Amino acid sequence: MSQEWDAGRLDSDLEGVAFDTLAVRAGQHRTPEGEHGDPMFFTSSYVFRTAADAAARFAGEVPGNVYSRYTNPTVRAFEERIAALEGAEQAVATATGMAAIMAVVMSLCSAGDHVLVSRSVFGSTISLFEKYFKRFGVEVDYVPLADLSAWDAAIKPNTKLLFVESPSNPLAELVDITALAEIAHAKGAMLVVDNCFCTPALQQPLKMGADIVVHSATKFIDGQGRCMGGVVAGRSEQMKEIVGFLRTAGPTLSPFNAWIFLKGLETLNLRMKAHCANAQELAEWLEQQDGIEKVHYAGLKSHPQHELAQRQQKGFGAVVSFEVKGGKEGAWRFIDATRLISITANLGDSKTTITHPSTTSHGRLAPQEREAAGIRDSLIRIAVGLEDVADLQADLARGLAAL
């Protein structure tokens, strides 16, 4: 091994390259071994040259690894790649998507601060705000996602954050991110966007004015349902606070999971295009079937925010929800009649999944909370994978026959 190794000679020059190139190469810093693939650093701690070197690193006076709870080369490669794809100054990885949301609020909010949350968010997100953040003095109110005037009216002098999913889970509702960011900033608040359903391949909220983006990397960033993780991206000023939270509280992403996510990002754009194409075809087919009362998918012209989705996103995503005749009993009969699609509440997988939101992902919400969020007992959600569409249609036809 040469002692005259020049990192710049081995690393790729990424100045001015496009999204797909960043998805494959950003964040990789090759070691003196000259490896072509991304290495995995399985180590809990790091060796220092001297006691003074250790002290300087612990104090943050010099760069370098300290402890894998908050600095690890494999995790850092994933963080740098996400930051490049989202157009962020910095990204911070976490153990799960929920840990990413927790890290944002715990790092940036204090008792007495006010947070506005869209009514159209994941059930566990509502539970996190209701059961835990409120307990520690954070005020929380909920606003209809698309109603900009309601957001503006609900902001208080102590409002710190506005938190949205766009598109939302599971109804594919949207908010005009640029307009909502302007409303937040005019009153001194920050806008946080959960970009899990679109990923940076379809939408980059920071470029539309959002301050922070969060992801459940468990979903489309992984793409094959293999492991769990989350990530937060935004300005370095806010991300330093997130790093401080990880250093103390420790909801840390493992190096192995970070390596899996790096591999997932290499095919992200290709996969999202295929997911979107399959979902569009299925949504159009479902809309024509007897027994289907309503289809929720922004790619349909019948969707009330179809034009906004065209402006704001590069694609309409992979999640299609629809309401069937017969209420809960009809929905369960439909789901149970399928034989190919996986009955599971996860999404973002290469395999298509199907679930009943009101008794799974949103089952812990009170009935009135589900009603306010539009989660009816007749609603079914499918996260469309990469199988042949004709096979998926044939399987859903089994569900339709059971109604």
Side-chain angles (χ1 to χ4, degrees):
M1 183 173 66
S2 172
Q3 299 301 314
E4 301 301 322
W5 170 69
D6 177 3
R9 178 66 182 87
L10 292 180
D11 290 349
S12 300
D13 182 356
L14 300 180
E15 182 69 30
V17 303
F19 183 95
D20 283 343
T21 305
L22 292 173
V24 172
R25 293 185 176 271
Q28 184 175 16
H29 304 287
R30 295 187 174 94
T31 74
E33 302 297 341
E35 71 283 345
H36 192 231
D38 296 285
M40 288 183 275
F41 287 86
F42 293 133
T43 181
S44 57
S45 63
Y46 303 88
V47 177
F48 307 105
R49 291 179 175 83
T50 64
D53 179 37
R57 286 205 219 170
F58 268 83
E61 296 170 354
V62 297
N65 293 305
V66 178
Y67 193 58
S68 276
R69 187 171 65 242
Y70 58 101
T71 60
N72 179 277
T74 311
V75 175
R76 184 167 60 250
F78 169 61
E79 293 171 336
E80 291 183 5
R81 191 167 297 179
I82 284 288
L85 296 180
E86 285 286 9
E89 292 179 2
Q90 186 178 350
V92 181
T94 59
T96 66
M98 294 308 302
I101 298 172
M102 179 183 69
V104 169
V105 178
M106 294 293 289
S107 302
L108 302 180
C109 295
S110 302
D113 284 340
H114 178 236
V115 178
L116 285 176
V117 182
S118 164
R119 285 182 184 154
S120 305
V121 293
F122 180 46
S124 291
T125 302
I126 294 175
S127 296
L128 184 61
F129 278 96
E130 284 293 304
K131 293 181 64 177
Y132 300 102
F133 292 146
K134 279 188 174 182
R135 184 188 302 175
F136 292 97
V138 175
E139 299 175 24
V140 182
D141 287 308
Y142 298 90
V143 181
L145 176 60
D147 191 341
L148 294 173
S149 61
W151 285 101
D152 191 36
I155 295 176
K156 302 177 181 180
N158 60 332
T159 300
K160 193 69 172 287
L161 300 176
L162 279 60
F163 184 94
V164 301
E165 290 175 10
S166 183
S168 69
N169 180 16
L171 298 178
E173 294 178 280
L174 285 77
V175 68
D176 186 326
I177 293 173
T178 300
L180 187 58
E182 291 173 354
I183 290 170
H185 297 159
K187 297 190 177 182
M190 291 183 286
L191 175 60
V192 181
V193 177
D194 185 330
N195 199 29
C196 175
F197 273 29
C198 274
T199 80
L202 302 183
Q203 177 175 267
Q204 295 167 310
L206 298 178
K207 293 183 178 180
M208 291 183 272
D211 298 281
I212 294 171
V213 166
V214 297
H215 286 279
S216 172
T218 310
K219 309 302 190 295
F220 294 103
I221 288 174
D222 175 5
Q224 295 184 45
R226 296 167 292 192
C227 55
M228 305 188 78
V231 64
V232 184
R235 294 191 299 274
S236 296
E237 179 184 357
Q238 282 79 37
M239 295 307 104
K240 287 177 183 177
E241 297 297 325
I242 308 291
V243 172
F245 178 74
L246 259 69
R247 179 171 184 161
T248 303
T252 308
L253 181 66
S254 77
F256 179 77
N257 288 12
W259 185 85
I260 291 289
F261 297 147
L262 284 166
K263 298 299 101 181
L265 286 174
E266 291 181 5
T267 60
L268 178 65
N269 206 21
L270 290 171
R271 287 186 290 104
M272 294 309 296
K273 288 178 180 178
H275 281 298
C276 291
N278 281 359
Q280 183 73 37
E281 190 169 343
L282 274 184
E284 292 175 359
W285 177 82
L286 282 166
E287 203 169 37
Q288 303 303 315
Q289 305 307 307
D290 292 335
I292 303 295
E293 296 186 327
K294 188 174 184 179
V295 180
H296 302 271
Y297 185 66
L300 296 174
K301 292 181 180 179
S302 59
H303 191 283
Q305 296 168 298
H306 176 69
E307 291 185 3
L308 174 61
Q310 287 181 307
R311 296 198 312 270
Q312 193 161 271
Q313 301 169 195
K314 296 178 182 177
F316 301 112
V319 177
V320 179
S321 293
F322 53 96
E323 297 173 40
V324 299
K325 295 177 180 177
K328 173 184 169 183
E329 291 74 19
W332 279 22
R333 285 197 305 272
F334 187 109
I335 292 169
D336 290 347
T338 59
R339 291 292 178 267
L340 173 68
I341 298 172
S342 306
I343 304 175
T344 178
N346 194 32
L347 58 92
D349 202 311
S350 56
K351 303 178 184 71
T352 299
T353 67
I354 189 168
T355 193
H356 184 241
S358 71
T359 55
T360 58
S361 59
H362 293 71
R364 288 186 291 171
L365 301 183
Q368 62 270 23
E369 291 174 321
R370 289 198 298 273
E371 182 64 29
I375 312 298
R376 300 182 177 87
D377 287 345
S378 59
L379 186 72
I380 294 172
R381 187 195 74 191
I382 55 173
V384 184
L386 304 178
E387 302 96 339
D388 189 284
V389 177
D391 293 329
L392 296 175
Q393 289 174 343
D395 202 35
L396 293 175
R398 296 185 182 104
L400 288 165
L403 294 175

